[in-house]
Amino acid sequence: MKTPVTFSLSAQSIVNQALALSALRRAIGKPTDEGLLTSDKLSALRMVAKAAFSEIVVRLMHHVGDASINHEGPEPASVNDESMLLIVALYLPADVTSDEQGVVRRLLEHATTMLTLSMAYSATDTATADRYRQLAETSVDNLAKILKSSEEIPTTFALCWL
């Protein structure tokens, strides 16, 4: 049996993680590396985070009960508002613990951050964009495994051992 669990991700947290990873990439990369994302790009990064989140929701659609971006209702707030939330209700197996729900949340955040970075770098650094997209896809694939886990176990499984 599946239970809907709602996850609310902070777009600002996603952007902060993207900025931190960009800075780390620059700090440990070659001195000639370009493409440092900085806080003057917050508005653009929030827009990209919305697109990344939407793509992930579409990839997980069979497991999604509902999804929204709190700034996209009848009276949307400013895109620059740091309180923007990316909200998705996922149908999780009933036996998923609250700790495991934390893992699901982290996978969602990671996938959204990696896809945000992939989209941000796609026009200027395709190799980096491809690496981030692969990391996002790995997280989405891991999410899908968790979401499908109870579907793959037959309900009569326990009877086989009697």
Side-chain angles (χ1 to χ4, degrees):
M1 173 171 221
K2 298 281 188 162
T3 305
V5 177
T6 300
F7 297 91
S8 297
L9 308 179
S10 163
Q12 187 59 47
S13 177
I14 300 296
V15 168
N16 289 345
Q17 290 176 51
L19 291 171
L21 288 169
S22 176
L24 282 171
R25 177 180 173 267
R26 179 78 176 257
I28 61 175
K30 298 174 192 155
T32 58
D33 281 349
E34 295 180 25
L36 177 67
L37 297 175
T38 57
S39 60
D40 64 325
K41 305 290 188 254
L42 287 177
S43 180
L45 285 169
R46 284 189 195 106
M47 294 295 287
V48 173
K50 288 179 5 178
F53 174 76
S54 298
E55 185 175 321
I56 290 164
V57 167
V58 168
R59 289 216 30 219
L60 297 172
M61 188 58 72
H62 295 328
H63 308 286
V64 174
D66 193 17
S68 65
I69 298 171
N70 73 335
H71 289 218
E72 309 249 321
E75 297 179 25
S78 167
V79 172
N80 295 320
D81 187 351
E82 292 183 15
S83 65
M84 184 186 346
L85 295 176
L86 312 170
I87 304 162
V88 63
L90 295 174
Y91 286 103
L92 298 178
D95 61 345
V96 171
T97 66
S98 61
D99 288 342
E100 291 167 334
Q101 288 177 19
V103 170
V104 169
R105 176 187 175 74
R106 186 63 189 120
L107 284 170
L108 279 168
E109 286 178 343
H110 186 261
T112 305
T113 301
M114 295 301 106
L115 195 52
T116 297
L117 285 164
S118 175
M119 291 175 167
Y121 285 113
S122 65
T124 58
D125 187 345
T126 55
T128 297
D130 290 346
R131 282 193 302 274
Y132 284 128
R133 180 168 285 278
Q134 183 57 51
L135 290 169
E137 289 176 2
T138 299
S139 287
V140 172
D141 290 345
N142 287 333
L143 271 169
K145 287 176 188 173
I146 292 169
L147 298 171
K148 290 179 184 177
S149 65
S150 70
E151 295 170 7
E152 296 171 359
I153 301 171
T155 56
T156 57
F157 181 76
L159 296 176
C160 296
W161 298 101
L162 295 177

